[in-house]
Amino acid sequence: MEKLTSLSDGARVGFFGLGLAVAFAAAFLLGSAFDPAETGAGGSHQEGGGHSAAHERSEETEMTAHREHQATETAPGGLAVATGGYALRVASTHLEPGEPGKLRFQIEGPDGEAVREFDRLHEREMHLIVVRRDGAHFQHLHPELDPGGTWTAALTLPAAGVYRAFADFAVDGDDQTLAADLFASGRFEAQPFPASAAVVETDGYELRLEGAPPLAGQPAELRFSVSRDGREVSDLQDYLGAKGHLVALREGDLAFLHVHPDAQEEPGVIPFTAHFPTPGRYRLYLQFQHDGEVRTAEYTLAVRR
Ligand SMILES: [Cu+2]
């Protein structure tokens, strides 16, 4: 029987929720084994020890459950339409480019039925991210749930191409990010990721990304300072219960990293801790609210080995 050692746990680590990333980093730096029980990650079963035949069966059951639980928490999300017992079923995957349309979908649960009850996660029960496969045309939507378990979002795919729709939600305390492709037929002009730059401008705001260059597999501090007309913006408003919302997508497969901010310590600076699983380039979509409007700034970020 395969045994999960703390080493293989460590090797599997992709991305954690923020608190876990920090907790794990501490454990990792101290060289101690990662014990989910210590971090409140779920299972209280200590892995890696020997086990007797008498306990093998129950341990196996627990380990399987634990492994599945871990996989959903640590592997990058957004690569599968179905995983961890849940499936994303999209009713309408073809939309006319530039035409206002509707996206309807259900989350099918382990029992094969549409899930009707979701946890509230960052103030919403469902976060829907839509982005074209080349990283262009990012949208962050909050669909509405009907009593039968069908989610509906007004959606326009602005230009032709293949898009990725990420459904980010939690059920019974388990976070899931499932994703499906959407299609807008027509002549597709693919855009490369823009070159990496520390400063980007959006809607008259200047956003500067500070902090050391991130390394793969390690917690990375990302600090975005926001200014307008040369002056620091010190009155950022809350958006989804925080000063900012950050999605990172990996180049090549659009693996999805949902990163939430650290507590704001300086006005005008939005700090995050991200965990990039592998070296390469990522497209970052930072959302913040000011003067009553949500703005999105986009970065290309190179993550080194
Ligand atoms: Cu959202």
Side-chain angles (χ1 to χ4, degrees):
M1 188 177 80
E2 186 193 350
K3 269 202 287 186
L4 272 182
T5 64
S6 52
L7 181 64
S8 70
D9 274 352
R12 280 157 187 263
V13 166
F15 168 71
F16 288 83
L18 171 57
L20 285 177
V22 173
F24 176 74
F28 189 80
L29 291 172
L30 292 170
S32 60
F34 173 49
D35 178 3
E38 288 176 1
T39 63
S44 59
H45 182 61
Q46 173 66 51
E47 308 289 7
H51 49 270
S52 68
H55 290 119
E56 194 163 334
R57 189 186 153 88
S58 67
E59 277 202 34
E60 187 170 11
T61 308
E62 272 191 63
M63 279 189 180
T64 303
H66 179 69
R67 185 158 52 226
E68 282 170 3
H69 184 78
Q70 279 241 321
T72 59
E73 289 208 337
T74 61
L79 296 175
V81 76
T83 185
Y86 294 90
L88 169 60
R89 304 289 183 212
V90 181
S92 45
T93 55
H94 291 66
L95 287 91
E96 283 296 312
E99 301 271 328
K102 288 245 191 297
L103 186 71
R104 288 186 301 116
F105 63 94
Q106 294 185 333
I107 303 300
E108 194 178 283
D111 60 358
E113 300 290 321
V115 177
R116 294 163 195 228
E117 295 210 4
F118 293 81
D119 299 348
R120 196 158 258 262
L121 186 69
H122 316 302
E123 299 194 334
R124 302 299 170 109
E125 294 180 326
M126 178 65 68
H127 302 266
L128 180 71
I129 302 292
V130 178
V131 66
R132 203 167 64 177
R133 272 285 191 184
D134 60 354
H137 304 303
F138 172 91
Q139 299 184 56
H140 180 170
L141 308 169
H142 295 116
E144 298 211 350
L145 179 65
D146 76 11
T150 298
W151 291 95
T152 304
L155 175 65
T156 304
L157 301 180
V162 179
Y163 290 74
R164 199 76 175 143
F166 301 93
D168 193 37
F169 62 93
V171 179
D172 296 336
D174 254 342
D175 293 8
Q176 307 282 346
T177 306
L178 303 178
D181 285 338
L182 305 178
F183 306 93
S185 295
R187 187 182 160 78
F188 170 36
E189 306 266 5
Q191 310 287 324
F193 275 16
S196 297
V199 177
V200 301
E201 301 216 355
T202 185
D203 293 342
Y205 294 84
E206 186 186 273
L207 286 100
R208 180 177 296 273
L209 175 55
E210 300 164 351
L215 299 177
Q218 298 186 19
E221 284 190 18
L222 305 174
R223 293 161 40 86
F224 296 90
S225 69
V226 187
S227 61
R228 188 167 62 171
D229 302 327
R231 301 227 312 269
E232 177 186 85
V233 175
S234 55
D235 57 343
L236 292 168
Q237 296 162 329
D238 280 0
Y239 172 56
L240 301 174
K243 293 297 176 199
H245 184 278
L246 181 64
V247 168
L249 300 178
R250 182 166 63 186
E251 187 172 45
D253 62 3
L254 298 189
F256 180 99
L257 312 183
H258 202 163
V259 190
H260 280 268
D262 299 331
Q264 192 183 37
E265 289 177 351
E266 300 164 58
V269 176
I270 315 173
F272 295 86
T273 303
H275 200 110
F276 298 97
T278 52
R281 295 203 306 167
Y282 293 77
R283 192 71 176 150
L284 269 47
Y285 305 87
L286 170 69
Q287 297 189 282
F288 62 97
Q289 186 168 319
H290 189 241
D291 284 350
E293 266 190 66
V294 177
R295 334 265 174 173
T296 304
E298 302 187 11
Y299 286 84
T300 299
L301 183 66
V303 173
R304 295 183 307 166
R305 189 171 297 279

